[in-house]
């Protein structure tokens, strides 16, 4: 697709707008004005997502996110219904592991002779069900610039993953393919994608993309906000990715980076080059460590107060960015039926072909976030590709999107205010629930994504972050939860018992602090924001499980022989046996521990085996951390067990009695806690 002469293209665009005619009608008659450009956003009106290919340095398995070169699976078929001109299809995909496609650039590739390559993969298929549900569009255009000889074949799916052949075209020589595709059959989900097939000659994809049938409403002017704490190298990598992509840079008005760490981004290798590419867009604000909520609040504070942006895009500092996700999020927001939050999905940074989460919801009774129903976390698309995974084709609806990547329209931010001063945890979920309560929805959209550290390698509900998990969960529940907190209180007490059986006394001490501070009311949130973290770390350091060691070799090894050391109790088979086992565990923890086990652990337990039914009957154990970088030496304390269990029960009973009053106070305080004026005092201090 050759780029049009800039003057002529802009003149045509202005003339079309002056006449009130649909821009895409005129563009369709002149192929020189239908580019998929990577140089300027306004040279591709209506662009929804580019066809993109993996980076040169990406691991081999990452290719599965961009192309499907054969899964060895048979595709389901369905006969067309009355009036449906699409044709049923039965396909057998090729052998996995064979690389057919030759990647030429991030937007071009060659298909060798006698090959079949499907672009029905995570980043290049089109999530039609999401666009059908949330956007104003009723059709989408697939536009490809091809050269050589071969065929383009287009497929779609239903919400149950059933595949249907839609149509295709034969290509000879250089060809501009423009296929209009109906979005109306996708109410419950489904995707579009295309395959490239060759016989005796090679076929080259020069560029391509999925387009709307009209220019996007509004204006693309996004402020990207990325708070950071001692992640300078990761930040520079993200800044570089933004600045290296001209199409992305054309839509960015500002990049705001609140630097809250002691290792500054300005001092990192490559910073000057990355900053130069961004020009005057980059703003670094040095401030004390106010956590994620303090960082994101600063981003929104500055974006609303000193930029003319239309969209605010939150991103974490420890991510790997697929730059096209920025363009896709902005496009989805502009075409949305009404203002809404647009979330990016999380891919695993440790296993980069793995989709960590499809979307998240909040259980309104126990008030706890969880994966959306009928989704499977940590799904590896290299082993189970999109085309052969039925559950990926049903649209997943969510309550909120985590702020590893989330776009918030300016109008929504102006209406809802800033994040709550929660430091970390629940600030993103609360904002999504706040938005929903005011009529703004959230969509977590496949194909819009970043890579982020998977949660499989950490358990932050038991480390220093336990304080924020507990306090902020109760704050969010007071604001958006039920009038009866019974389920929330029962779940919290169960977690208390689990901590105690695991000898996680520091986590229980932090729970005590968290519930105490929640009971103190909303007035304490702003004053404690800059000071609470040192208090948490000091409290945690008072307990064995809060002082990780570098290695189990720093204490005597357990005296079990190697066979016994690798045999662990089995999990309870059912609810009845679980209750019986739990009762015995509580009784065991009320007995005096054997003094001989104070200095020599009874067992050395790997983190994957550290279940309550394993540790509950031990007097001591070393337990490795989930990331494998250290261990904790845990020792049972009967008096502490009884005292902390009693204190937890007392606090939860008090919360239950005072719940109506607490809900009223937090809800009355919310406008102040989320106001520019409230945050201004923190930022100025």
């Amino acid at each position: 697709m050759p780029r049009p002469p800039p003057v002529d293209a802009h003149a045509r665009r202005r003339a079309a707008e002056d006449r009130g005619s649909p821009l895409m009608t005129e563009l369709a008659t002149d192929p020189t004005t239908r580019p998929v450009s990577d140089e300027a956003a306004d040279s591709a009106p209506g662009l929804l997502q580019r066809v993109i290919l993996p980076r040169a340095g990406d691991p081999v398995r990452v290719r599965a996110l961009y192309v499907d070169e054969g899964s060895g699976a048979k595709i389901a078929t369905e006969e067309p219904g009355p009036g449906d001109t699409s044709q049923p299809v039965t396909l057998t995909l090729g052998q996995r592991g064979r690389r057919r496609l030759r990647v030429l650039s991030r937007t071009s590739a060659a298909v060798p002779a006698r090959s079949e390559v499907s672009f029905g993969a995570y980043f290049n298929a089109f999530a039609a069900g999401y666009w059908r549900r949330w956007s104003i569009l009723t059709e989408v255009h697939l536009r490809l610039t091809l050269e050589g000889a071969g065929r383009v074949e287009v497929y779609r799916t239903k919400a149950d993953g059933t595949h249907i052949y839609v149509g295709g075209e034969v290509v000879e020589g250089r060809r501009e393919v423009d296929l209009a595709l109906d979005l109306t059959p996708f109410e419950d989900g489904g995707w579009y994608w295309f395959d490239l097939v060759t016989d005796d000659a090679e076929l080259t994809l020069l560029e391509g993309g999925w387009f709307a049938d009209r220019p996007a409403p509004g204006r693309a002017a996004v402020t990207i906000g990325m708070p950071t704490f001692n992640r300078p190298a990761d930040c520079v990598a993200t800044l570089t990715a933004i600045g290296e992509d001209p199409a992305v840079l054309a839509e960015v008005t500002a990049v705001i980076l609140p630097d809250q760490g002691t290792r500054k981004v300005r001092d990192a290798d490559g910073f000057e080059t990355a900053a130069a590419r961004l020009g005057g867009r980059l703003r670094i604000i040095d401030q004390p460590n106010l956590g994620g909520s303090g960082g994101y609040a600063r981003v929104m504070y500055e974006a609303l107060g000193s930029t003319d942006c239309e969209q605010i895009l939150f991103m974490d500092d420890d991510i790997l960015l697929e730059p096209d996700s920025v363009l896709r999020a902005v496009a989805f927001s502009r075409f949305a039926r009404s203002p809404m939050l647009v979330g990016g999905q999380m891919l695993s940074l440790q296993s980069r072909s793995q989709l960590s989460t499809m979307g998240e919801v909040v259980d309104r009774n126990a008030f706890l976030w969880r994966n959306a129903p009928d989704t499977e976390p940590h799904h590896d698309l290299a082993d189970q590709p999109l085309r052969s995974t039925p559950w990926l084709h049903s649209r997943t609806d969510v309550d909120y999107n985590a702020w590893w990547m989330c776009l918030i329209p300016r109008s929504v931010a102006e209406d809802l205010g800033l994040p709550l001063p929660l430091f970390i945890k629940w600030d993103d979920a609360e904002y999504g629930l706040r938005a929903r309560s005011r009529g703004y929805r959230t969509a977590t959209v496949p194909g819009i994504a970043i890579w982020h550290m998977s949660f499989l390698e950490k358990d932050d509900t038991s480390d220093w972050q336990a304080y924020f998990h507990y306090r902020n969960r109760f704050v969010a529940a007071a604001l958006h939860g039920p009038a009866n907190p019974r389920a929330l209180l029962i779940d919290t007490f169960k977690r208390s018992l689990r901590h105690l059986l695991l000898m996680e006394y520091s986590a229980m001490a932090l729970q005590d602090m968290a519930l105490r501070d929640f009971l103190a009311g909303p007035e304490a949130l702003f004053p404690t924001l800059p000071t609470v973290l040192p208090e948490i770390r000091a409290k945690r350091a008072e307990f064995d499980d809060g002082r990780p060691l570098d290695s189990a070799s720093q204490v005597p090894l357990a005296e079990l022989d190697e066979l016994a050391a690798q045999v662990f109790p089995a999990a309870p088979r059912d609810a009845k046996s679980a209750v019986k086992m739990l009762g015995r565990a509580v009784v065991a923890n009320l007995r005096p521990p054997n003094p001989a086990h104070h200095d020599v652990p009874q067992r050395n337990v790997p983190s994957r085996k550290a279940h309550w039914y394993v540790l509950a009957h031990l007097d001591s154990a070393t337990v490795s951390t989930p990331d494998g970088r250290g261990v904790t030496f845990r020792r049972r304390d009967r008096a502490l067990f009884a005292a902390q269990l009693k204190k937890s029960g007392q606090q939860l009973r008090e919360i239950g009695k005072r719940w109506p009053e607490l809900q009223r106070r937090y809800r009355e305080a919310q406008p102040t806690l989320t106001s520019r004026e409230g945050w201004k005092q923190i930022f100025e201090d």
Side-chain angles (χ1 to χ4, degrees), residues 305-327:
S306 61
T307 80
D308 65 345
C309 71
E310 296 294 338
Q311 303 89 18
I312 302 169
L313 181 61
F314 287 169
M315 292 195 302
D316 270 349
D317 62 344
D318 54 347
I319 65 167
L320 177 63
L321 176 66
E322 172 50 78
D324 207 64
S325 291
V326 177
L327 301 180

Side-chain angles (χ1 to χ4, degrees), residues 311-492:
Q311 303 89 18
I312 302 169
L313 181 61
F314 287 169
M315 292 195 302
D316 270 349
D317 62 344
D318 54 347
I319 65 167
L320 177 63
L321 176 66
E322 172 50 78
D324 207 64
S325 291
V326 177
L327 301 180
R328 297 178 184 194
V330 172
F332 199 95
S333 177
R334 293 174 70 189
F335 278 106
R337 289 186 175 136
S338 58
M340 66 183 303
L341 282 63
V342 180
Q345 297 185 333
M346 188 180 98
L347 300 163
S348 171
L349 196 56
Q350 302 100 306
S351 179
R352 286 182 47 199
S353 58
Q354 188 179 95
L355 176 61
S356 290
T357 179
M358 192 72 175
E360 295 179 314
V361 295
V362 176
D363 180 337
R364 297 302 199 280
N365 291 316
F367 222 82
L368 193 66
W369 63 57
R370 50 169 290 198
N371 290 306
D374 301 319
T375 65
E376 298 177 10
H378 316 300
H379 178 82
D380 199 322
L381 289 159
D383 296 327
Q384 297 174 292
L386 171 66
R387 294 192 297 164
S388 56
T389 308
W391 68 265
L392 285 171
H393 296 257
S394 177
R395 191 189 70 247
T396 297
D397 294 330
V398 302
D399 286 324
Y400 73 98
N401 197 91
W403 285 349
W404 50 64
M405 182 181 187
C406 185
L407 183 145
I408 304 169
R410 183 189 188 101
S411 61
V412 175
E414 289 174 335
D415 185 21
L416 297 181
L418 277 59
L420 285 174
L422 300 180
F423 198 86
I424 57 170
K425 305 302 177 188
W426 281 95
D427 47 350
D428 45 15
E430 187 282 327
Y431 203 91
L433 295 174
R434 196 193 322 168
R436 188 183 180 98
S437 72
R438 300 281 282 273
Y440 305 112
R441 301 299 292 271
T442 301
T444 299
V445 186
I448 302 175
I450 50 84
W451 285 273
H452 186 281
M453 181 73 72
S454 170
F455 300 133
L456 287 175
E457 288 197 8
K458 56 183 177 181
D459 179 11
D460 55 20
T461 63
S462 299
D463 63 14
W464 61 271
Q465 298 170 85
Y467 170 89
F468 297 107
H469 273 288
Y470 284 112
R471 187 200 64 176
N472 298 348
R473 179 186 178 190
F474 275 81
V475 170
L479 291 169
H480 306 288
N484 185 346
R486 184 173 183 272
L488 169 63
L489 300 177
I490 290 174
D491 181 79
T492 304

